Amino acid sequence: MFLISAALVLAGCDSASPLEQYQAANTETPSESPDAKLCEGLTTASESGHTSMRAAFISDPEGRDYGGGVINELTQAGNYRFLGGEMVGKTCYAYAEARGEQWGKTFNLAWRCPVKVLSDNPTEAGKTVLQVVEDRVCDYAVERGAPARREVEVELIHQ
């Protein structure tokens, strides 16, 4: 009887969802990882990097629903801001926000997208510049430090 109970308990322990299993496997990224060092140095974005971040609202149905109709107006009003990078699991994410009022309504948009391409910053040693993100798998309504929401692994290209 004891063996059957123990087997049932052990079988029940492996019932984590695929996302939970992914998060558990990717909770620690070695700080010595080359990708982690590049991501930590991500402090600015090129014009193509900014465009790529904003394109998420057009490329992704969730992005269109979240703020696709207002992102260009907020950007033109100077209310878009790039917030740098952060490793989430094994993926480097770039963060941005757009806050302001349009059409009498207040918008507070915050999102992150996996970084695809970055380059060295020619003016700051050890710092990197965002060039392109994978804009079809971004997370919306998310702040820095938030855990992974889905399985995303994007190969980071350093130019």
Side-chain angles (χ1 to χ4, degrees):
M1 183 68 161
F2 174 73
L3 289 174
I4 293 172
S5 299
L8 289 173
V9 168
L10 289 175
C13 291
D14 195 24
S15 63
S17 73
L19 179 59
E20 290 169 333
Q21 291 172 355
Y22 173 78
Q23 288 173 333
N26 290 293
T27 54
E28 291 186 35
T29 300
S31 60
E32 299 302 315
S33 156
D35 285 356
K37 288 187 181 292
L38 291 170
C39 192
E40 287 171 10
L42 186 56
T43 56
T44 59
S46 67
E47 189 54 42
S48 66
H50 289 299
T51 300
S52 185
M53 284 296 290
R54 294 187 303 260
F57 290 93
I58 299 163
S59 303
D60 183 353
E62 185 181 351
R64 287 191 296 272
D65 291 344
Y66 179 61
V70 74
I71 190 65
N72 288 333
E73 287 80 6
L74 291 174
T75 300
Q76 290 170 2
N79 296 322
Y80 161 84
R81 189 168 64 135
F82 177 73
L83 300 174
E86 176 184 55
M87 290 298 286
V88 179
K90 294 180 181 178
T91 303
C92 178
Y93 279 87
Y95 288 79
E97 68 180 11
R99 303 188 188 288
E101 192 171 311
Q102 286 293 321
W103 310 300
K105 184 177 177 185
T106 300
F107 291 90
N108 293 305
L109 307 178
W111 70 103
R112 69 181 177 198
C113 298
V115 175
K116 283 176 63 173
V117 181
L118 49 74
S119 62
D120 292 329
N121 187 331
T123 61
E124 290 183 83
K127 301 294 180 184
T128 53
V129 178
L130 174 67
Q131 297 297 333
V132 180
V133 297
E134 175 54 69
D135 59 11
R136 291 170 294 200
V137 287
C138 298
D139 293 330
Y140 301 94
V142 66
E143 301 288 336
R144 279 179 106 67
R149 291 188 174 174
R150 59 185 140 192
E151 271 186 61
V152 175
E153 285 194 36
V154 175
E155 179 183 355
L156 183 63
I157 300 169
H158 179 212
Q159 294 180 331

